[in-house]
């Protein structure tokens, strides 16, 4: 019997990234390692990126969106994400980036297992 893979928390701090966030989230959802949670922390954005993320969360239960009431900056957004993370591992992905390699999380997990 194969043991269950541990949960990986992917934390995505976001501020005014309407033009980039869909590509970021699509790249995360395309990962071959699927036992993950994606925590998007909307740091009081003024554009439509928060609504875009809410739409993604309605379609995929692995995504949760946190809407900060006030802009606290990157560190505050990351800390909020970490405080909500339930995974054994946590990974940060910037909202204006995307993961080109669909095996990114799988490779990180397998490398951590070899080094343990």
């Amino acid at each position: 019997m194969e043991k269950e893979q541990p949960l990986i928390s992917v934390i995505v701090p976001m501020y005014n990234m309407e033009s980039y966030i869909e590509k970021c989230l699509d790249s995360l959802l395309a990962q071959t390692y699927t036992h993950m949670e994606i925590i998007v922390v909307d740091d009081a954005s003024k554009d439509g990126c928060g609504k875009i993320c809410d739409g993604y969360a309605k379609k995929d239960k692995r995504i949760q969106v946190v809407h900060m009431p006030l802009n606290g900056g990157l560190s505050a957004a990351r800390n909020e994400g970490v405080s909500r993370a339930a995974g054994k591992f946590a990974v940060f992905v910037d909202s204006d980036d995307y993961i080109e390699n669909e095996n990114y999380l799988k490779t990180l997990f397998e490398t951590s297992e070899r080094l343990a």
Side-chain angles (χ1 to χ4, degrees):
M1 182 174 169
E2 190 175 318
K3 71 178 187 176
E4 184 176 323
Q5 295 177 319
L7 182 68
I8 295 178
S9 299
V10 181
I11 301 165
V12 183
M14 174 183 70
Y15 180 74
N16 290 346
M17 288 293 158
E18 185 174 25
S19 299
Y20 303 98
I21 193 62
E22 289 181 83
K23 188 170 185 176
C24 176
L25 292 177
D26 287 342
S27 76
L28 292 171
L29 293 173
Q31 290 295 299
T32 58
Y33 189 101
T34 59
H35 193 57
M36 65 173 152
E37 64 176 354
I38 301 168
I39 304 168
V40 181
V41 182
D42 177 9
D43 196 18
S45 297
K46 297 178 185 344
D47 65 4
C49 61
K51 288 184 181 182
I52 291 169
C53 292
D54 289 340
Y56 272 78
K58 286 180 183 174
K59 295 176 189 173
D60 195 309
K61 64 182 175 134
R62 296 174 296 170
I63 298 174
Q64 61 175 287
V65 183
V66 179
H67 296 280
M68 302 293 282
L70 299 171
N71 180 269
L74 180 60
S75 294
R78 283 185 173 178
N79 288 339
E80 183 65 28
V82 168
S83 74
R84 294 170 182 262
K88 179 177 180 181
F89 302 100
V91 175
F92 294 102
V93 175
D94 290 337
S95 54
D96 60 345
D97 289 337
Y98 65 94
I99 308 302
E100 192 171 278
N101 182 343
E102 64 190 21
N103 292 313
Y104 172 71
L105 292 178
K106 180 181 178 193
T107 301
L108 287 175
F109 169 68
E110 288 173 350
T111 301
S112 72
E113 289 289 293
R114 279 196 309 271
L115 297 173

